[in-house]
Amino acid sequence: MAAVELLGDRESEEVRLGGLYGLQRVMQDSHRDQPTVINVVSTFVRAHNPRPEPGAKPRPLPKHINAPLPSDTTAALAVLTHRDSRHDGGVRVTLHNTALSFAQLPKANLTFADLTNANLTDARLFGTILDRANLHEANLTRAFLLDAHLNFAYLKHANLTGAVLTSAELYNVSMKQAIVDGADLGFADLRTAIMDHVNLTRADLTCARLNGAYLETAIVKKNQLMLAEIDATTALPAHLASDPELKKKAASGAKPARCS
């Protein structure tokens, strides 16, 4: 594909943009070539936006919040996240070890994406589809994930400090040892979520659905659980599972009045 050669132009961002738009047209016109385009564009994003090694000088913060990433990176992400995923042919968007702080990806399709160790600090991901995505050790500090879909996603050791996950879908998500200090999980669907060794004491769990969630090794307060939705299938820490008020609440399975 001639468009691939244009991506290698080091002098002109316009030339690289032309290559990306060309690849997008190829993907739209030839479903057979979509897996190849996904691999090529994913490689382009990783090469142009590598996450710095520990101790390296961080990338300067953007001057304009609405255009935080280079135009060619933004265009590449648009190609990857606004495709018809039915033609992926088993290939996934692979953006591991990337620096994508302040990325604007609302309602993007990142199903099955590999975002291992990606830096998504301050990213705008409201309504973004991240079902079954691999976010192992990803940095989502202050990320805006309102109404995002993270069902069956893998968030082990992910950093969600200050992240907004209000009304997000996190069904059966794996969050082992994730950091959620100051995270807003209000009204989030955390049914059957695995929160092994997660400190939830500074997270907002108001009206969060915790039915079937695994919290036996989590650190959580009674008052947080009283404001959330739990039932007999919620696995609580031993000292809370025996609390009379929580036992009664779990047995009834009733939603808190404010959550109805």
Side-chain angles (χ1 to χ4, degrees), residues 13 17 45 48-50 59-78 95 98-105 119-121 123-124:
E13 186 178 75
L17 284 170
V45 175
H48 286 256
N49 302 272
R59 183 168 63 94
L61 293 176
K63 295 180 180 179
H64 304 293
I65 190 64
N66 293 324
L69 294 171
S71 296
D72 52 359
T73 296
T74 300
L77 291 173
L95 301 174
T98 48
L100 300 173
S101 299
F102 296 93
Q104 306 287 315
L105 294 168
N119 185 359
L120 289 158
T121 302
R124 295 297 177 261

PDB file of all heavy atoms in Angstrom, residues 13 17 45 48-50 59-78 95 98-105 119-121 123-124:
ATOM      1  N   GLU A  13       4.164  16.541   8.639  1.00  0.00           N
ATOM      2  CA  GLU A  13       2.989  15.964   9.302  1.00  0.00           C
ATOM      3  C   GLU A  13       1.846  15.828   8.315  1.00  0.00           C
ATOM      4  O   GLU A  13       1.056  14.883   8.388  1.00  0.00           O
ATOM      5  CB  GLU A  13       2.559  16.854  10.479  1.00  0.00           C
ATOM      6  CG  GLU A  13       1.440  16.261  11.326  1.00  0.00           C
ATOM      7  CD  GLU A  13       1.086  17.142  12.504  1.00  0.00           C
ATOM      8  OE1 GLU A  13       0.432  18.182  12.281  1.00  0.00           O
ATOM      9  OE2 GLU A  13       1.471  16.804  13.642  1.00  0.00           O
ATOM     10  N   LEU A  17      -0.392  12.593   7.577  1.00  0.00           N
ATOM     11  CA  LEU A  17      -1.855  12.635   7.649  1.00  0.00           C
ATOM     12  C   LEU A  17      -2.476  12.070   6.373  1.00  0.00           C
ATOM     13  O   LEU A  17      -3.471  11.322   6.423  1.00  0.00           O
ATOM     14  CB  LEU A  17      -2.334  14.073   7.873  1.00  0.00           C
ATOM     15  CG  LEU A  17      -2.186  14.630   9.288  1.00  0.00           C
ATOM     16  CD1 LEU A  17      -2.470  16.127   9.303  1.00  0.00           C
ATOM     17  CD2 LEU A  17      -3.112  13.910  10.259  1.00  0.00           C
ATOM     18  N   VAL A  45       1.252   4.576  16.016  1.00  0.00           N
ATOM     19  CA  VAL A  45       0.970   5.266  17.285  1.00  0.00           C
ATOM     20  C   VAL A  45       2.014   4.907  18.332  1.00  0.00           C
ATOM     21  O   VAL A  45       2.512   5.777  19.058  1.00  0.00           O
ATOM     22  CB  VAL A  45      -0.450   4.915  17.788  1.00  0.00           C
ATOM     23  CG1 VAL A  45      -0.688   5.538  19.169  1.00  0.00           C
ATOM     24  CG2 VAL A  45      -1.504   5.420  16.807  1.00  0.00           C
ATOM     25  N   HIS A  48       5.404   6.698  17.598  1.00  0.00           N
ATOM     26  CA  HIS A  48       5.407   8.153  17.735  1.00  0.00           C
ATOM     27  C   HIS A  48       5.027   8.635  19.134  1.00  0.00           C
ATOM     28  O   HIS A  48       5.212   9.816  19.451  1.00  0.00           O
ATOM     29  CB  HIS A  48       4.458   8.780  16.710  1.00  0.00           C
ATOM     30  CG  HIS A  48       4.991   8.767  15.317  1.00  0.00           C
ATOM     31  ND1 HIS A  48       5.497   9.885  14.694  1.00  0.00           N
ATOM     32  CD2 HIS A  48       5.127   7.759  14.420  1.00  0.00           C
ATOM     33  CE1 HIS A  48       5.909   9.575  13.482  1.00  0.00           C
ATOM     34  NE2 HIS A  48       5.688   8.290  13.287  1.00  0.00           N
ATOM     35  N   ASN A  49       4.517   7.728  19.961  1.00  0.00           N
ATOM     36  CA  ASN A  49       4.080   8.126  21.302  1.00  0.00           C
ATOM     37  C   ASN A  49       4.491   7.098  22.351  1.00  0.00           C
ATOM     38  O   ASN A  49       3.661   6.587  23.108  1.00  0.00           O
ATOM     39  CB  ASN A  49       2.551   8.298  21.331  1.00  0.00           C
ATOM     40  CG  ASN A  49       2.049   9.314  20.333  1.00  0.00           C
ATOM     41  OD1 ASN A  49       1.980  10.494  20.626  1.00  0.00           O
ATOM     42  ND2 ASN A  49       1.708   8.824  19.143  1.00  0.00           N
ATOM     43  N   PRO A  50       5.788   6.795  22.438  1.00  0.00           N
ATOM     44  CA  PRO A  50       6.215   5.795  23.419  1.00  0.00           C
ATOM     45  C   PRO A  50       6.137   6.347  24.843  1.00  0.00           C
ATOM     46  O   PRO A  50       6.402   7.539  25.069  1.00  0.00           O
ATOM     47  CB  PRO A  50       7.660   5.518  23.018  1.00  0.00           C
ATOM     48  CG  PRO A  50       8.125   6.811  22.401  1.00  0.00           C
ATOM     49  CD  PRO A  50       6.916   7.344  21.671  1.00  0.00           C
ATOM     50  N   ARG A  59       6.861  14.158  28.938  1.00  0.00           N
ATOM     51  CA  ARG A  59       6.445  15.015  27.836  1.00  0.00           C
ATOM     52  C   ARG A  59       5.772  16.264  28.394  1.00  0.00           C
ATOM     53  O   ARG A  59       4.971  16.178  29.325  1.00  0.00           O
ATOM     54  CB  ARG A  59       5.457  14.251  26.938  1.00  0.00           C
ATOM     55  CG  ARG A  59       5.005  15.013  25.718  1.00  0.00           C
ATOM     56  CD  ARG A  59       4.287  14.065  24.756  1.00  0.00           C
ATOM     57  NE  ARG A  59       3.079  13.500  25.338  1.00  0.00           N
ATOM     58  CZ  ARG A  59       1.872  14.016  25.184  1.00  0.00           C
ATOM     59  NH1 ARG A  59       1.713  15.123  24.487  1.00  0.00           N
ATOM     60  NH2 ARG A  59       0.814  13.431  25.711  1.00  0.00           N
ATOM     61  N   PRO A  60       6.075  17.461  27.870  1.00  0.00           N
ATOM     62  CA  PRO A  60       5.435  18.690  28.379  1.00  0.00           C
ATOM     63  C   PRO A  60       3.914  18.614  28.271  1.00  0.00           C
ATOM     64  O   PRO A  60       3.380  18.010  27.343  1.00  0.00           O
ATOM     65  CB  PRO A  60       6.004  19.773  27.444  1.00  0.00           C
ATOM     66  CG  PRO A  60       7.253  19.191  26.888  1.00  0.00           C
ATOM     67  CD  PRO A  60       7.015  17.722  26.773  1.00  0.00           C
ATOM     68  N   LEU A  61       3.238  19.211  29.235  1.00  0.00           N
ATOM     69  CA  LEU A  61       1.778  19.233  29.202  1.00  0.00           C
ATOM     70  C   LEU A  61       1.300  20.072  28.020  1.00  0.00           C
ATOM     71  O   LEU A  61       1.950  21.037  27.637  1.00  0.00           O
ATOM     72  CB  LEU A  61       1.225  19.818  30.507  1.00  0.00           C
ATOM     73  CG  LEU A  61       1.446  18.983  31.759  1.00  0.00           C
ATOM     74  CD1 LEU A  61       0.920  19.743  32.970  1.00  0.00           C
ATOM     75  CD2 LEU A  61       0.763  17.641  31.654  1.00  0.00           C
ATOM     76  N   PRO A  62       0.194  19.703  27.424  1.00  0.00           N
ATOM     77  CA  PRO A  62      -0.308  20.448  26.254  1.00  0.00           C
ATOM     78  C   PRO A  62      -0.759  21.840  26.627  1.00  0.00           C
ATOM     79  O   PRO A  62      -1.252  22.080  27.721  1.00  0.00           O
ATOM     80  CB  PRO A  62      -1.491  19.597  25.787  1.00  0.00           C
ATOM     81  CG  PRO A  62      -1.929  18.873  27.017  1.00  0.00           C
ATOM     82  CD  PRO A  62      -0.670  18.599  27.785  1.00  0.00           C
ATOM     83  N   LYS A  63      -0.601  22.762  25.687  1.00  0.00           N
ATOM     84  CA  LYS A  63      -1.036  24.136  25.925  1.00  0.00           C
ATOM     85  C   LYS A  63      -2.539  24.272  25.707  1.00  0.00           C
ATOM     86  O   LYS A  63      -3.189  25.100  26.320  1.00  0.00           O
ATOM     87  CB  LYS A  63      -0.285  25.084  24.973  1.00  0.00           C
ATOM     88  CG  LYS A  63       1.217  25.143  25.240  1.00  0.00           C
ATOM     89  CD  LYS A  63       1.889  26.085  24.264  1.00  0.00           C
ATOM     90  CE  LYS A  63       3.388  26.140  24.521  1.00  0.00           C
ATOM     91  NZ  LYS A  63       4.077  27.046  23.567  1.00  0.00           N
ATOM     92  N   HIS A  64      -3.084  23.458  24.814  1.00  0.00           N
ATOM     93  CA  HIS A  64      -4.504  23.549  24.502  1.00  0.00           C
ATOM     94  C   HIS A  64      -5.145  22.202  24.775  1.00  0.00           C
ATOM     95  O   HIS A  64      -4.820  21.210  24.120  1.00  0.00           O
ATOM     96  CB  HIS A  64      -4.705  23.951  23.039  1.00  0.00           C
ATOM     97  CG  HIS A  64      -4.014  25.234  22.683  1.00  0.00           C
ATOM     98  ND1 HIS A  64      -4.405  26.442  23.203  1.00  0.00           N
ATOM     99  CD2 HIS A  64      -2.945  25.469  21.908  1.00  0.00           C
ATOM    100  CE1 HIS A  64      -3.611  27.395  22.723  1.00  0.00           C
ATOM    101  NE2 HIS A  64      -2.720  26.829  21.944  1.00  0.00           N
ATOM    102  N   ILE A  65      -6.059  22.169  25.729  1.00  0.00           N
ATOM    103  CA  ILE A  65      -6.649  20.915  26.161  1.00  0.00           C
ATOM    104  C   ILE A  65      -7.401  20.214  25.039  1.00  0.00           C
ATOM    105  O   ILE A  65      -7.528  19.006  25.008  1.00  0.00           O
ATOM    106  CB  ILE A  65      -7.580  21.148  27.375  1.00  0.00           C
ATOM    107  CG1 ILE A  65      -8.013  19.804  27.989  1.00  0.00           C
ATOM    108  CG2 ILE A  65      -8.799  21.956  26.971  1.00  0.00           C
ATOM    109  CD1 ILE A  65      -6.903  19.006  28.556  1.00  0.00           C
ATOM    110  N   ASN A  66      -7.926  20.979  24.064  1.00  0.00           N
ATOM    111  CA  ASN A  66      -8.690  20.375  22.982  1.00  0.00           C
ATOM    112  C   ASN A  66      -7.816  19.772  21.886  1.00  0.00           C
ATOM    113  O   ASN A  66      -8.314  19.122  20.987  1.00  0.00           O
ATOM    114  CB  ASN A  66      -9.642  21.405  22.363  1.00  0.00           C
ATOM    115  CG  ASN A  66     -10.736  21.818  23.334  1.00  0.00           C
ATOM    116  OD1 ASN A  66     -11.211  20.996  24.106  1.00  0.00           O
ATOM    117  ND2 ASN A  66     -11.124  23.086  23.301  1.00  0.00           N
ATOM    118  N   ALA A  67      -6.529  20.019  21.921  1.00  0.00           N
ATOM    119  CA  ALA A  67      -5.628  19.448  20.928  1.00  0.00           C
ATOM    120  C   ALA A  67      -4.339  18.999  21.610  1.00  0.00           C
ATOM    121  O   ALA A  67      -3.266  19.510  21.346  1.00  0.00           O
ATOM    122  CB  ALA A  67      -5.335  20.462  19.830  1.00  0.00           C
ATOM    123  N   PRO A  68      -4.435  18.038  22.530  1.00  0.00           N
ATOM    124  CA  PRO A  68      -3.289  17.670  23.341  1.00  0.00           C
ATOM    125  C   PRO A  68      -2.250  16.832  22.627  1.00  0.00           C
ATOM    126  O   PRO A  68      -1.079  16.886  22.946  1.00  0.00           O
ATOM    127  CB  PRO A  68      -3.921  16.875  24.481  1.00  0.00           C
ATOM    128  CG  PRO A  68      -5.148  16.291  23.881  1.00  0.00           C
ATOM    129  CD  PRO A  68      -5.644  17.309  22.901  1.00  0.00           C
ATOM    130  N   LEU A  69      -2.665  16.042  21.659  1.00  0.00           N
ATOM    131  CA  LEU A  69      -1.747  15.166  20.956  1.00  0.00           C
ATOM    132  C   LEU A  69      -1.468  15.710  19.558  1.00  0.00           C
ATOM    133  O   LEU A  69      -2.261  16.463  19.011  1.00  0.00           O
ATOM    134  CB  LEU A  69      -2.347  13.754  20.850  1.00  0.00           C
ATOM    135  CG  LEU A  69      -2.527  12.988  22.170  1.00  0.00           C
ATOM    136  CD1 LEU A  69      -3.329  11.712  21.929  1.00  0.00           C
ATOM    137  CD2 LEU A  69      -1.183  12.669  22.794  1.00  0.00           C
ATOM    138  N   PRO A  70      -0.353  15.316  18.955  1.00  0.00           N
ATOM    139  CA  PRO A  70      -0.073  15.753  17.582  1.00  0.00           C
ATOM    140  C   PRO A  70      -1.217  15.359  16.653  1.00  0.00           C
ATOM    141  O   PRO A  70      -1.895  14.350  16.864  1.00  0.00           O
ATOM    142  CB  PRO A  70       1.209  14.995  17.242  1.00  0.00           C
ATOM    143  CG  PRO A  70       1.854  14.739  18.566  1.00  0.00           C
ATOM    144  CD  PRO A  70       0.727  14.495  19.515  1.00  0.00           C
ATOM    145  N   SER A  71      -1.408  16.129  15.618  1.00  0.00           N
ATOM    146  CA  SER A  71      -2.529  15.889  14.706  1.00  0.00           C
ATOM    147  C   SER A  71      -2.477  14.507  14.070  1.00  0.00           C
ATOM    148  O   SER A  71      -3.517  13.860  13.871  1.00  0.00           O
ATOM    149  CB  SER A  71      -2.548  16.950  13.606  1.00  0.00           C
ATOM    150  OG  SER A  71      -2.778  18.225  14.153  1.00  0.00           O
ATOM    151  N   ASP A  72      -1.259  14.041  13.738  1.00  0.00           N
ATOM    152  CA  ASP A  72      -1.182  12.726  13.097  1.00  0.00           C
ATOM    153  C   ASP A  72      -1.521  11.610  14.067  1.00  0.00           C
ATOM    154  O   ASP A  72      -2.141  10.608  13.697  1.00  0.00           O
ATOM    155  CB  ASP A  72       0.186  12.506  12.442  1.00  0.00           C
ATOM    156  CG  ASP A  72       1.355  12.772  13.369  1.00  0.00           C
ATOM    157  OD1 ASP A  72       1.137  13.154  14.540  1.00  0.00           O
ATOM    158  OD2 ASP A  72       2.503  12.602  12.923  1.00  0.00           O
ATOM    159  N   THR A  73      -1.168  11.790  15.352  1.00  0.00           N
ATOM    160  CA  THR A  73      -1.543  10.790  16.352  1.00  0.00           C
ATOM    161  C   THR A  73      -3.054  10.778  16.547  1.00  0.00           C
ATOM    162  O   THR A  73      -3.680   9.718  16.622  1.00  0.00           O
ATOM    163  CB  THR A  73      -0.860  11.077  17.697  1.00  0.00           C
ATOM    164  OG1 THR A  73       0.560  10.954  17.542  1.00  0.00           O
ATOM    165  CG2 THR A  73      -1.328  10.099  18.772  1.00  0.00           C
ATOM    166  N   THR A  74      -3.642  11.976  16.624  1.00  0.00           N
ATOM    167  CA  THR A  74      -5.096  12.063  16.766  1.00  0.00           C
ATOM    168  C   THR A  74      -5.801  11.404  15.596  1.00  0.00           C
ATOM    169  O   THR A  74      -6.789  10.675  15.768  1.00  0.00           O
ATOM    170  CB  THR A  74      -5.521  13.539  16.869  1.00  0.00           C
ATOM    171  OG1 THR A  74      -4.902  14.141  18.022  1.00  0.00           O
ATOM    172  CG2 THR A  74      -7.028  13.667  17.001  1.00  0.00           C
ATOM    173  N   ALA A  75      -5.287  11.633  14.390  1.00  0.00           N
ATOM    174  CA  ALA A  75      -5.875  11.023  13.198  1.00  0.00           C
ATOM    175  C   ALA A  75      -5.717   9.506  13.228  1.00  0.00           C
ATOM    176  O   ALA A  75      -6.642   8.758  12.871  1.00  0.00           O
ATOM    177  CB  ALA A  75      -5.237  11.594  11.944  1.00  0.00           C
ATOM    178  N   ALA A  76      -4.560   9.045  13.665  1.00  0.00           N
ATOM    179  CA  ALA A  76      -4.323   7.600  13.738  1.00  0.00           C
ATOM    180  C   ALA A  76      -5.277   6.941  14.726  1.00  0.00           C
ATOM    181  O   ALA A  76      -5.832   5.863  14.461  1.00  0.00           O
ATOM    182  CB  ALA A  76      -2.874   7.332  14.146  1.00  0.00           C
ATOM    183  N   LEU A  77      -5.502   7.590  15.863  1.00  0.00           N
ATOM    184  CA  LEU A  77      -6.430   7.045  16.851  1.00  0.00           C
ATOM    185  C   LEU A  77      -7.851   7.017  16.308  1.00  0.00           C
ATOM    186  O   LEU A  77      -8.617   6.091  16.586  1.00  0.00           O
ATOM    187  CB  LEU A  77      -6.360   7.869  18.146  1.00  0.00           C
ATOM    188  CG  LEU A  77      -5.061   7.748  18.945  1.00  0.00           C
ATOM    189  CD1 LEU A  77      -5.056   8.740  20.102  1.00  0.00           C
ATOM    190  CD2 LEU A  77      -4.884   6.322  19.479  1.00  0.00           C
ATOM    191  N   ALA A  78      -8.205   8.019  15.516  1.00  0.00           N
ATOM    192  CA  ALA A  78      -9.538   8.047  14.911  1.00  0.00           C
ATOM    193  C   ALA A  78      -9.709   6.878  13.942  1.00  0.00           C
ATOM    194  O   ALA A  78     -10.766   6.242  13.893  1.00  0.00           O
ATOM    195  CB  ALA A  78      -9.766   9.373  14.204  1.00  0.00           C
ATOM    196  N   LEU A  95      -1.885  -0.862  21.642  1.00  0.00           N
ATOM    197  CA  LEU A  95      -1.299   0.429  22.012  1.00  0.00           C
ATOM    198  C   LEU A  95      -0.592   0.342  23.360  1.00  0.00           C
ATOM    199  O   LEU A  95      -0.632   1.275  24.153  1.00  0.00           O
ATOM    200  CB  LEU A  95      -2.396   1.498  22.052  1.00  0.00           C
ATOM    201  CG  LEU A  95      -3.171   1.724  20.740  1.00  0.00           C
ATOM    202  CD1 LEU A  95      -4.315   2.701  20.954  1.00  0.00           C
ATOM    203  CD2 LEU A  95      -2.234   2.227  19.650  1.00  0.00           C
ATOM    204  N   THR A  98       2.236   3.150  25.522  1.00  0.00           N
ATOM    205  CA  THR A  98       2.119   4.421  24.812  1.00  0.00           C
ATOM    206  C   THR A  98       1.849   5.568  25.782  1.00  0.00           C
ATOM    207  O   THR A  98       1.325   5.374  26.874  1.00  0.00           O
ATOM    208  CB  THR A  98       0.983   4.372  23.776  1.00  0.00           C
ATOM    209  OG1 THR A  98      -0.183   3.829  24.389  1.00  0.00           O
ATOM    210  CG2 THR A  98       1.366   3.523  22.584  1.00  0.00           C
ATOM    211  N   ALA A  99       2.210   6.779  25.351  1.00  0.00           N
ATOM    212  CA  ALA A  99       1.957   7.996  26.126  1.00  0.00           C
ATOM    213  C   ALA A  99       0.810   8.744  25.453  1.00  0.00           C
ATOM    214  O   ALA A  99       1.010   9.430  24.442  1.00  0.00           O
ATOM    215  CB  ALA A  99       3.206   8.864  26.184  1.00  0.00           C
ATOM    216  N   LEU A 100      -0.391   8.594  25.998  1.00  0.00           N
ATOM    217  CA  LEU A 100      -1.582   9.179  25.385  1.00  0.00           C
ATOM    218  C   LEU A 100      -2.328  10.076  26.368  1.00  0.00           C
ATOM    219  O   LEU A 100      -3.565  10.138  26.375  1.00  0.00           O
ATOM    220  CB  LEU A 100      -2.502   8.067  24.863  1.00  0.00           C
ATOM    221  CG  LEU A 100      -1.892   7.140  23.806  1.00  0.00           C
ATOM    222  CD1 LEU A 100      -2.831   5.982  23.507  1.00  0.00           C
ATOM    223  CD2 LEU A 100      -1.575   7.922  22.525  1.00  0.00           C
ATOM    224  N   SER A 101      -1.580  10.793  27.198  1.00  0.00           N
ATOM    225  CA  SER A 101      -2.199  11.710  28.149  1.00  0.00           C
ATOM    226  C   SER A 101      -3.066  12.731  27.415  1.00  0.00           C
ATOM    227  O   SER A 101      -2.696  13.211  26.339  1.00  0.00           O
ATOM    228  CB  SER A 101      -1.127  12.462  28.950  1.00  0.00           C
ATOM    229  OG  SER A 101      -0.344  11.557  29.689  1.00  0.00           O
ATOM    230  N   PHE A 102      -4.207  13.051  28.007  1.00  0.00           N
ATOM    231  CA  PHE A 102      -5.144  14.032  27.464  1.00  0.00           C
ATOM    232  C   PHE A 102      -5.781  13.603  26.137  1.00  0.00           C
ATOM    233  O   PHE A 102      -6.376  14.424  25.446  1.00  0.00           O
ATOM    234  CB  PHE A 102      -4.470  15.403  27.297  1.00  0.00           C
ATOM    235  CG  PHE A 102      -4.028  16.028  28.582  1.00  0.00           C
ATOM    236  CD1 PHE A 102      -2.744  15.845  29.050  1.00  0.00           C
ATOM    237  CD2 PHE A 102      -4.903  16.799  29.324  1.00  0.00           C
ATOM    238  CE1 PHE A 102      -2.329  16.419  30.247  1.00  0.00           C
ATOM    239  CE2 PHE A 102      -4.500  17.375  30.513  1.00  0.00           C
ATOM    240  CZ  PHE A 102      -3.210  17.190  30.982  1.00  0.00           C
ATOM    241  N   ALA A 103      -5.668  12.329  25.790  1.00  0.00           N
ATOM    242  CA  ALA A 103      -6.293  11.862  24.553  1.00  0.00           C
ATOM    243  C   ALA A 103      -7.802  12.088  24.610  1.00  0.00           C
ATOM    244  O   ALA A 103      -8.436  11.913  25.647  1.00  0.00           O
ATOM    245  CB  ALA A 103      -5.993  10.381  24.342  1.00  0.00           C
ATOM    246  N   GLN A 104      -8.363  12.495  23.489  1.00  0.00           N
ATOM    247  CA  GLN A 104      -9.798  12.722  23.383  1.00  0.00           C
ATOM    248  C   GLN A 104     -10.399  11.553  22.601  1.00  0.00           C
ATOM    249  O   GLN A 104     -10.315  11.499  21.375  1.00  0.00           O
ATOM    250  CB  GLN A 104     -10.071  14.039  22.653  1.00  0.00           C
ATOM    251  CG  GLN A 104      -9.369  15.247  23.244  1.00  0.00           C
ATOM    252  CD  GLN A 104      -9.984  15.699  24.559  1.00  0.00           C
ATOM    253  OE1 GLN A 104     -11.200  15.786  24.683  1.00  0.00           O
ATOM    254  NE2 GLN A 104      -9.149  15.981  25.531  1.00  0.00           N
ATOM    255  N   LEU A 105     -11.003  10.598  23.333  1.00  0.00           N
ATOM    256  CA  LEU A 105     -11.517   9.393  22.690  1.00  0.00           C
ATOM    257  C   LEU A 105     -12.941   9.079  23.135  1.00  0.00           C
ATOM    258  O   LEU A 105     -13.261   7.939  23.481  1.00  0.00           O
ATOM    259  CB  LEU A 105     -10.590   8.200  23.010  1.00  0.00           C
ATOM    260  CG  LEU A 105      -9.177   8.277  22.434  1.00  0.00           C
ATOM    261  CD1 LEU A 105      -8.288   7.214  23.066  1.00  0.00           C
ATOM    262  CD2 LEU A 105      -9.220   8.112  20.917  1.00  0.00           C
ATOM    263  N   ASN A 119      -0.188   5.232  29.223  1.00  0.00           N
ATOM    264  CA  ASN A 119      -0.430   6.417  30.051  1.00  0.00           C
ATOM    265  C   ASN A 119      -1.613   7.180  29.466  1.00  0.00           C
ATOM    266  O   ASN A 119      -1.499   7.845  28.445  1.00  0.00           O
ATOM    267  CB  ASN A 119       0.812   7.306  30.103  1.00  0.00           C
ATOM    268  CG  ASN A 119       0.616   8.481  31.058  1.00  0.00           C
ATOM    269  OD1 ASN A 119      -0.448   8.628  31.662  1.00  0.00           O
ATOM    270  ND2 ASN A 119       1.631   9.310  31.198  1.00  0.00           N
ATOM    271  N   LEU A 120      -2.747   7.060  30.130  1.00  0.00           N
ATOM    272  CA  LEU A 120      -3.973   7.726  29.705  1.00  0.00           C
ATOM    273  C   LEU A 120      -4.407   8.759  30.739  1.00  0.00           C
ATOM    274  O   LEU A 120      -5.595   9.026  30.922  1.00  0.00           O
ATOM    275  CB  LEU A 120      -5.073   6.689  29.481  1.00  0.00           C
ATOM    276  CG  LEU A 120      -4.871   5.789  28.246  1.00  0.00           C
ATOM    277  CD1 LEU A 120      -5.648   4.492  28.390  1.00  0.00           C
ATOM    278  CD2 LEU A 120      -5.302   6.542  26.990  1.00  0.00           C
ATOM    279  N   THR A 121      -3.432   9.353  31.402  1.00  0.00           N
ATOM    280  CA  THR A 121      -3.722  10.389  32.388  1.00  0.00           C
ATOM    281  C   THR A 121      -4.546  11.514  31.766  1.00  0.00           C
ATOM    282  O   THR A 121      -4.231  12.002  30.680  1.00  0.00           O
ATOM    283  CB  THR A 121      -2.405  10.975  32.940  1.00  0.00           C
ATOM    284  OG1 THR A 121      -1.637   9.923  33.519  1.00  0.00           O
ATOM    285  CG2 THR A 121      -2.679  12.032  33.986  1.00  0.00           C
ATOM    286  N   ALA A 123      -7.189  11.489  30.215  1.00  0.00           N
ATOM    287  CA  ALA A 123      -7.850  11.178  28.948  1.00  0.00           C
ATOM    288  C   ALA A 123      -9.359  11.343  29.082  1.00  0.00           C
ATOM    289  O   ALA A 123      -9.935  11.144  30.151  1.00  0.00           O
ATOM    290  CB  ALA A 123      -7.518   9.751  28.513  1.00  0.00           C
ATOM    291  N   ARG A 124      -9.995  11.726  27.987  1.00  0.00           N
ATOM    292  CA  ARG A 124     -11.449  11.866  27.943  1.00  0.00           C
ATOM    293  C   ARG A 124     -12.010  10.630  27.242  1.00  0.00           C
ATOM    294  O   ARG A 124     -11.876  10.471  26.034  1.00  0.00           O
ATOM    295  CB  ARG A 124     -11.841  13.154  27.208  1.00  0.00           C
ATOM    296  CG  ARG A 124     -11.402  14.418  27.945  1.00  0.00           C
ATOM    297  CD  ARG A 124     -12.108  14.524  29.310  1.00  0.00           C
ATOM    298  NE  ARG A 124     -11.691  15.676  30.092  1.00  0.00           N
ATOM    299  CZ  ARG A 124     -10.801  15.624  31.077  1.00  0.00           C
ATOM    300  NH1 ARG A 124     -10.223  14.472  31.374  1.00  0.00           N
ATOM    301  NH2 ARG A 124     -10.498  16.707  31.757  1.00  0.00           N
TER     302      ARG A 124
END
